[in-house]
Amino acid sequence: MLILNSIKTLEESEIFKNWKQKHDKFYICSVFLIMDHVNESPQIDYYDPDKDRITNFVIDKNIKITEDEKIFKKEKHKIKKLDLSKVKISLEQALSKVENLLIEKYKETAHRKIVVLQNLEREVWNITSLTTNLNILNVKIDATNGDIVEERLNSILSFKDKQNL
């Protein structure tokens, strides 16, 4: 509910309504959230396909806006619209699936989670967990039916080894 409530709060705000009047070609493309028990303020991203730019809204006590940002993406990768009507699995349900994987399959505990709701050929919860054993578990969950689309567990140290090549 945190994500959908945050989007509703944003879209009902004056700052968003004023911005949207001037940026009618932008569409919602992702929601980003770092869960670390200190800062759990969702960032909602809107994309302009004409300029290949993004505007971020951070939903906290106040709404903060960062406009006209470059996008971190592969060259020629199309940023797809996020269709919220297809999101049937809540953030809480997706996190529960990841927690079960961590405990039952990997015998790990998460210290911090990074959550992205996005369209990667379908709406997915893309959840990355940093574990207390310094591993990174990335799980992509279909946001429509709850199926696990992909899961990968890597050691943080494996990223260091790749940088030294």
Side-chain angles (χ1 to χ4, degrees):
M1 293 306 269
L2 171 68
I3 299 295
L4 296 179
N5 286 340
S6 295
I7 293 168
K8 182 179 178 189
T9 297
L10 173 64
E11 291 181 347
E12 290 176 351
S13 73
E14 285 303 313
I15 191 169
F16 179 81
K17 289 176 184 176
N18 293 334
W19 173 84
K20 188 66 174 160
Q21 287 178 344
K22 299 173 194 159
H23 301 88
D24 62 329
K25 291 186 179 181
F26 279 71
Y27 55 79
I28 189 168
C29 63
S30 64
V31 181
F32 175 83
L33 177 66
I34 296 176
M35 302 183 77
D36 63 1
H37 306 295
V38 174
N39 180 15
E40 294 185 3
S41 301
Q43 174 181 303
I44 303 168
D45 303 321
Y46 286 79
Y47 176 68
D48 180 351
D50 293 341
K51 294 181 182 176
D52 198 30
R53 296 290 206 183
I54 199 161
T55 294
N56 316 103
F57 294 90
V58 175
I59 312 303
D60 205 350
K61 293 174 185 159
N62 299 309
I63 296 173
K64 299 173 191 117
I65 182 172
T66 307
E67 293 189 74
D68 203 31
E69 292 286 306
K70 280 188 171 182
I71 301 169
F72 178 70
K73 68 178 180 82
K74 292 180 181 176
E75 194 68 31
K76 299 192 181 198
H77 175 78
K78 184 175 180 335
I79 305 293
K80 295 179 175 60
K81 182 177 182 177
L82 179 61
D83 185 348
L84 295 171
S85 70
K86 293 182 178 178
V87 178
K88 307 294 183 202
I89 303 301
S90 70
L91 171 60
E92 293 78 11
Q93 290 169 308
L95 288 171
S96 177
K97 281 185 175 280
V98 171
E99 194 65 29
N100 288 340
L101 266 178
L102 276 166
I103 293 168
E104 294 171 13
K105 184 173 182 180
Y106 296 108
K107 312 295 187 232
E108 295 264 12
T109 305
H111 174 67
R112 175 176 291 166
K113 293 182 181 98
I114 300 169
V115 177
V116 183
L117 176 60
Q118 61 192 137
N119 182 332
L120 300 174
E121 304 304 323
R122 61 179 145 193
E123 278 61 25
V124 296
W125 290 104
N126 186 349
I127 302 173
T128 302
S129 301
L130 175 61
T131 72
T132 52
N133 292 331
L134 297 180
N135 289 314
I136 297 173
L137 175 66
N138 179 254
V139 181
K140 292 180 178 76
I141 299 171
D142 186 306
T144 301
N145 61 27
D147 291 345
I148 293 176
V149 176
E150 180 182 321
E151 68 178 88
R152 282 192 323 256
L153 182 74
N154 294 307
S155 169
I156 289 178
L157 300 177
S158 69
F159 293 102
K160 182 181 182 295
D161 292 342
K162 289 178 186 176
Q163 288 180 344
N164 290 333
L165 293 177

